[in-house]
Amino acid sequence: MIRSSFAPLAAALLLFAPIDSGVAAQVEAAPAMIPQDSVQIALARFQSLQQELTTLQQEVMNASPQLQEQQAEVSGAVESAVSEIDPSLQADMEARMPVIQQEAQAAQAAGDTTALVALEQEFMTLRSRAETAQQEAVERPAIAAQIEAFEEALRTEMATRDPEVESTLAELEVLAGRLDATLGGG
């Protein structure tokens, strides 16, 4: 179901939020590559920071009915826009996803790789439609403004609970850029 794909919206959005100018200077000053003997350490630190932020975010969301309401409004706006962008997506996903899963299990049990490939392609097509519609939805100016307001409120509340959150976000972003450059994504 499409609705379930919007549940982790806050977590995904926070990582894309802009950072302040002091933090931007840190990002620009960071070396592009991580020495190969340090990649595992950098990955572990990245995962640790991500977990720390996720935990803080969950605590803040659980403690704030206002943020929960704001997140629900954003999710509803995105879901509504997705329905406008691709009106048959929801019905197609609800109709086909359980069937794809059942048929894939049967094909796997039978060793039918041709059927598995076809089912995987159908799944990927549905997923691509959902991702495209969601991306178009979040790029709509009104929805983008709602997302920005939610992100700001969330970050403000996180900073109230942990004054070091901005530096944690900055370090996470620096590490993400460096890992991306080192591991071939950049």
Side-chain angles (χ1 to χ4, degrees), residues 53-90:
L53 287 170
T54 298
T55 299
L56 176 61
Q57 185 174 336
Q58 287 171 344
E59 290 171 5
V60 166
M61 288 299 298
N62 289 338
S64 176
Q66 296 88 357
L67 283 174
Q68 292 171 19
E69 183 179 323
Q70 197 173 3
Q71 181 185 32
E73 289 171 4
V74 169
S75 294
V78 171
E79 185 174 333
S80 191
V82 165
S83 292
E84 291 173 14
I85 292 163
D86 189 342
S88 66
L89 177 63
Q90 182 76 27

Side-chain angles (χ1 to χ4, degrees), residues 11-171:
L13 296 175
L14 181 62
L15 294 179
F16 297 112
I19 55 178
D20 66 38
S21 59
V23 173
Q26 283 180 292
V27 171
E28 291 172 14
M33 302 283 286
I34 298 171
Q36 287 301 317
D37 61 346
S38 300
V39 170
Q40 290 301 321
I41 294 168
L43 281 169
R45 179 67 179 154
F46 180 84
Q47 290 170 340
S48 172
L49 291 171
Q50 229 178 5
Q51 182 58 47
E52 182 181 324
L53 287 170
T54 298
T55 299
L56 176 61
Q57 185 174 336
Q58 287 171 344
E59 290 171 5
V60 166
M61 288 299 298
N62 289 338
S64 176
Q66 296 88 357
L67 283 174
Q68 292 171 19
E69 183 179 323
Q70 197 173 3
Q71 181 185 32
E73 289 171 4
V74 169
S75 294
V78 171
E79 185 174 333
S80 191
V82 165
S83 292
E84 291 173 14
I85 292 163
D86 189 342
S88 66
L89 177 63
Q90 182 76 27
D92 291 348
M93 289 188 72
E94 287 176 1
R96 286 301 300 158
M97 290 306 232
V99 174
I100 290 171
Q101 184 177 4
Q102 291 171 347
E103 289 178 3
Q105 289 172 344
Q108 188 171 17
D112 186 350
T113 57
T114 303
L116 281 172
V117 168
L119 291 165
E120 180 181 10
Q121 181 59 44
E122 183 179 0
F123 170 79
M124 297 299 284
T125 299
L126 283 171
R127 187 172 82 179
S128 178
R129 279 178 59 195
E131 289 171 352
T132 299
Q134 186 174 357
Q135 185 61 40
E136 286 181 34
V138 300
E139 289 174 355
R140 289 184 172 182
I143 294 174
Q146 279 186 287
I147 291 169
E148 188 175 331
F150 170 72
E151 288 174 345
E152 185 58 36
L154 179 60
R155 286 175 71 135
T156 298
E157 187 59 33
M158 288 174 70
T160 299
R161 285 186 179 244
D162 179 1
E164 299 297 316
V165 75
E166 288 298 326
S167 64
T168 303
L169 284 165
E171 184 180 353

